Amino acid sequence: MFFHGGTNSRRLNDYLDFSANTSPLGVHKAASRALLALSLDPGILAAYPDPNCTELKEALSKYWKFKGPVLCGSGAADITQLISMVFGKNVQGTAFNLIVEPAFSEYENALLMACSDEKILHLTLEEKNDFKFTENDLARLEKILSGGVPLMFMASPSNPAGNVMPFEMIVKIAQLCEKSNTVLVLDSCFCQFSEKAEENVRTLIARSDEFPHLIILNAFTKFYGMAGLRLGYALCFSSDVYNPLVNAMRPWTISTDAQVTGTAVIRAEIESDSWRRQMIKLVKDERKYLSEFFVSTGAKVLSGEGNYILVQLNEELQNKAAAYASSGEHNKDKKGHNGPKKQSLVNEELHTPNPFNAPLCQALALHKIVIRGCSDFYGMDSSWYRVSIKNHDENTHLVKALEKILKK
């Protein structure tokens, strides 16, 4: 089973949702203006959308200073499935598709549509290293690649830890993948929240000729607050990876409204960096605010660089949260939220525990607040929680609830 943050946001409209890592600034202003213009002139929607996404791709190429082919899709998850179906199928012999864990569950979900579970290998980073990719992990990766790996997924910043991989390590991994002809997908959907991570992407682009098997994945979902429009893209470092993907795509994958809105946003970003500056400052300040509070309770906080933090509660704090959730004295008439339903029918017979049943999730639900339990991530248990970063008023509301739960 696969669970995601934000799944029930629309149904839980009276809840504060800290489970989905979307823009704390809301929707990009250029997106709002573009959607308003479309509503005033809906006739444009009568024609089929541009199958080549010409204007959108031109804008993205200019923004990233990228000369290679750009692939657009209906969100990063859609492109992940396409990549898996093209490069992750028909795995034979000693070969495996590979995921660097803990990671976004849609990598595995997508690969399960292309190959059997036995042909998916999980390189799980160690908790003792705060889930950072080390030289020991690089040695493990080299050994795995020697057996044959058609397709590999990893992310920077990672999800849920938020770790930004050092550029030198990304290069070492990409070089190993080139030697083994492995298609490497670097998920950079959160890179614009981190100046370091974005610079890594831009430096890779400047050296794109060295890594023809590399695909950099991104989306408008997180940084621009456009989760509902479903718009993602992949920077393909060679025609060898682009052509098989574009040939396998469904026709008219990206709607006209998504194309027009995405193009407007990227053009606005090229003209001015005000949105970027606001976002980076807000996330940096609010990450510090939330992190310092959790540290004050005795919790462990990983110093990630996404628009979320990863927190681990010790046994005492877990017990406090569990006792608060079960006491019912503070909120006798309110019921908690059990989290989202599973997102896939793959492996339906398996009974994966719902990560939203973790003690702090249940305690906060009594305050109509949802956070992401992480027990379904590889290498993590129910003591780990991912908390998205929102605006200061919302973060203050969360902290006040946490004070009642963890500092009582």
Side-chain angles (χ1 to χ4, degrees):
M1 295 183 188
F2 300 90
F3 297 92
H4 295 300
T7 300
N8 288 335
S9 296
R10 288 175 62 85
R11 180 174 66 82
L12 299 171
N13 55 15
D14 58 339
Y15 276 67
L16 258 180
D17 187 4
F18 285 82
S19 70
N21 305 321
T22 50
S23 161
L25 289 175
V27 181
H28 194 288
K29 291 180 174 60
S32 299
R33 291 193 295 268
L35 289 169
L36 177 60
L38 279 168
S39 70
L40 296 174
D41 184 21
I44 190 174
L45 301 178
Y48 282 102
D50 174 9
N52 298 316
C53 301
T54 307
E55 292 186 356
L56 177 59
K57 289 181 179 181
E58 288 176 353
L60 287 167
S61 294
K62 184 176 181 181
Y63 177 81
W64 287 107
K65 297 180 174 61
F66 181 66
K67 296 179 181 179
V70 180
L71 183 82
C72 295
S74 181
D78 178 56
I79 300 175
T80 298
Q81 287 191 4
L82 177 66
I83 292 171
S84 297
M85 296 301 293
V86 171
F87 295 113
K89 64 181 180 179
N90 299 326
V91 184
Q92 304 293 329
T94 61
F96 293 89
N97 292 311
L98 182 65
I99 304 171
V100 177
E101 303 278 4
F104 182 40
S105 61
E106 283 306 313
Y107 306 153
E108 182 179 8
N109 198 6
L111 284 172
L112 284 170
M113 298 179 184
C115 67
S116 66
D117 180 58
E118 290 76 17
K119 285 299 178 180
I120 303 173
L121 198 61
H122 304 271
L123 176 55
T124 304
L125 307 183
E126 296 183 285
E127 180 179 326
K128 68 179 182 181
N129 298 322
D130 291 341
F131 307 107
K132 294 178 180 177
F133 201 102
T134 68
E135 289 291 336
N136 285 338
D137 296 313
L138 187 69
R140 292 163 62 199
L141 173 62
E142 186 170 16
K143 185 176 181 180
I144 294 169
L145 291 175
S146 67
V149 176
L151 178 60
M152 172 178 167
F153 287 99
M154 70 179 191
S156 180
S158 60
N159 178 12
N163 292 325
V164 173
M165 196 174 290
F167 181 75
E168 296 76 14
M169 182 63 76
I170 296 174
V171 169
K172 289 178 181 179
I173 294 170
Q175 288 173 339
L176 287 177
C177 287
E178 290 303 324
K179 289 180 181 178
S180 61
N181 293 317
T182 299
V183 174
L184 172 61
V185 179
L186 176 62
D187 186 341
S188 297
C189 285
F190 294 100
C191 76
Q192 288 152 286
F193 292 101
S194 163
E195 292 176 297
K196 178 183 175 183
E198 182 174 345
E199 181 59 29
N200 285 349
V201 169
R202 294 189 177 278
T203 307
L204 282 170
I205 288 170
R207 296 173 56 176
S208 60
D209 290 345
E210 299 177 37
F211 311 112
H213 287 85
L214 180 61
I215 299 172
I216 294 182
L217 189 64
N218 208 326
F220 288 73
T221 302
K222 314 298 183 182
F223 198 72
Y224 302 127
M226 292 166 55
L229 269 179
R230 308 312 304 142
L231 183 59
Y233 60 95
L235 307 181
C236 301
F237 278 34
S238 72
S239 59
D240 288 341
V241 294
Y242 173 78
N243 288 342
L245 292 172
V246 76
N247 290 335
M249 285 187 71
R250 295 175 287 112
W252 308 296
T253 306
I254 304 92
S255 65
T256 297
D257 53 347
Q259 290 188 45
V260 170
T261 306
T263 302
V265 166
I266 296 301
R267 286 175 176 170
E269 288 294 285
I270 292 170
E271 292 174 4
S272 170
D273 68 346
S274 61
W275 177 270
R276 178 177 177 274
R277 285 187 285 105
Q278 286 182 70
M279 183 72 80
I280 289 177
K281 184 179 187 307
L282 185 151
V283 171
K284 182 178 180 180
D285 292 346
E286 294 304 309
R287 183 191 296 115
K288 183 174 184 289
Y289 170 65
L290 289 176
S291 297
E292 287 179 348
F293 170 78
F294 273 109
V295 169
S296 75
T297 69
K300 177 179 179 178
V301 180
L302 297 196
S303 56
E305 296 188 40
N307 60 330
Y308 47 90
I309 59 173
L310 184 65
V311 177
Q312 185 181 38
L313 301 191
N314 58 34
E315 185 177 0
E316 179 186 357
L317 293 175
Q318 284 280 80
N319 289 338
K320 281 186 177 182
Y324 190 93
S326 62
S327 68
E329 295 177 2
H330 46 281
N331 239 340
K332 290 182 180 178
D333 298 328
K334 294 184 180 180
K335 295 181 179 180
H337 167 50
N338 291 322
K341 305 300 180 184
K342 67 176 183 176
Q343 296 304 293
S344 172
L345 295 180
V346 175
N347 290 341
E348 187 176 11
E349 72 279 1
L350 298 180
H351 300 287
T352 305
N354 190 330
F356 290 83
N357 288 333
L360 188 57
C361 293
Q362 290 297 298
L364 283 170
L366 296 171
H367 291 272
K368 291 188 174 291
I369 295 173
V370 185
I371 63 171
R372 177 69 160 91
C374 293
S375 60
D376 59 330
F377 285 95
Y378 282 80
M380 294 184 178
D381 59 24
S382 61
S383 66
W384 289 97
Y385 302 88
R386 190 190 69 195
V387 181
S388 69
I389 295 169
K390 300 176 81 68
N391 65 47
H392 188 67
D393 286 344
E394 292 169 322
N395 293 336
T396 300
H397 187 78
L398 171 66
V399 165
K400 287 179 179 178
L402 288 167
E403 284 178 335
K404 294 178 181 178
I405 298 167
L406 300 179
K407 289 192 171 184
K408 187 177 179 180

